[in-house]
Amino acid sequence: MRCLGYAFRNEDKFVRFDRYLQEYPDAANRPFEKLARDYIGIAPAASEKMQRLSVARVVAGALQRSGIAAVKPVGDRLVRQQMVRTRTRPYIYTKADVQKLLKMAGNFGSSKHPLRAATLRCMIALAYCAGLRISELLGLKMRDVRLADGTVEIRESKFFKSRCLPLSSSAVKVLRDYMKVRAQADAPSGEQAALFCHGGKGYSRAGGSHLLRIVIQCAGLKPTKGRGGARIHDLRHTFVVHRMTQWYQEGINPEGRLAHLAAYLGHRDINSTLVEGIK
């Protein structure tokens, strides 16, 4: 199905459970609850245990609807608490932090990759000003940028959602400056060409994330080792927090605008937006 273009990402967790069951000795004669418990028990981390529990409960429900006796495994409160304790907490950037990132990105010039500094600066600006995910940033094509309207088009993102986003004047200026540098570097200009590219090709998710992580480290916001400190995705959290804070400062009740904010971010509903803002 992936070869046909379908973006199946979450189905892998069911495939892994299926593979485990196929390799389990005499699985057909074991109670489903024991199989599920054993599968959950060998997970290396609390978050993985909770994900496996969710998968097992979905499968058990499907078996029950088919007339097969299957007991749904019950969640473990201690495991859930451990997952919450070990979850990476978002870093909310200050406006000074964002300025520091933009300035640091401008120092990443390279004779071999003349677009690198402008690319990183534009990525950071869009991540902060539009709350874009890293996959959305790296998935932008030339056809998606409309400088005359001051908008960018996000196509088939998470939950298969597409949306047209109006940008702030400061974000449009950074994007316009980037497009000028991009043209001077003779980067591919076709509609299907990647907006952010090097050597004529678009950045991979691993490559783009690596460069942005180095910028954050050089700005002193993340240690060189470990999972602590700021992440590029935290700019998305920061976008939500700063947007809602500004509404409060302007005397506007954000509750009436959460649906608009959820649509802008590409969320399924406002519950995801609230989580984004309070993590």
Side-chain angles (χ1 to χ4, degrees), residues 230-272:
R231 304 167 301 165
I232 188 62
H233 189 75
D234 290 331
L235 285 169
R236 181 171 166 88
H237 295 300
T238 302
F239 165 79
V240 176
V241 172
H242 285 190
R243 179 70 271 172
M244 295 183 72
T245 300
Q246 186 171 342
W247 279 335
Y248 278 118
Q249 292 172 344
E250 294 172 353
I252 299 171
N253 185 355
E255 185 175 351
R257 299 194 176 186
L258 283 177
H260 301 285
L261 186 56
Y264 192 94
L265 290 164
H267 285 155
R268 284 186 295 187
D269 51 49
I270 65 172
N271 294 319
S272 299

Side-chain angles (χ1 to χ4, degrees), residues 156-218:
E156 292 294 322
S157 186
K158 194 174 182 179
F159 311 121
F160 305 102
K161 284 179 173 287
S162 296
R163 59 197 195 277
C164 182
L165 304 181
L167 300 175
S168 64
S169 58
S170 57
V172 171
K173 182 182 184 306
V174 173
L175 187 55
R176 182 176 286 111
D177 292 342
Y178 170 72
M179 295 295 280
K180 290 178 181 178
V181 175
R182 193 182 185 284
Q184 292 169 358
D186 291 327
S189 58
E191 287 191 351
Q192 293 297 326
L195 175 64
F196 300 118
C197 61
H198 64 105
K201 300 185 297 183
Y203 282 92
S204 66
R205 173 157 185 166
S209 299
H210 175 68
L211 285 173
L212 290 167
R213 187 162 55 249
I214 292 176
V215 173
I216 296 171
Q217 288 173 345
C218 291

Side-chain angles (χ1 to χ4, degrees), residues 98-126 174-175 177-182 185 195-199 203 208 211-212 214-215:
V98 176
Q99 290 298 326
K100 188 184 294 184
L101 286 181
L102 293 172
K103 183 177 180 180
M104 185 59 64
N107 296 330
F108 273 72
S110 167
S111 57
K112 187 177 180 180
H113 302 288
L115 267 177
R116 178 176 291 172
T119 294
L120 294 173
R121 191 170 187 274
C122 191
M123 282 184 181
I124 291 169
L126 289 180
V174 173
L175 187 55
D177 292 342
Y178 170 72
M179 295 295 280
K180 290 178 181 178
V181 175
R182 193 182 185 284
L195 175 64
F196 300 118
C197 61
H198 64 105
Y203 282 92
L211 285 173
L212 290 167
I214 292 176
V215 173

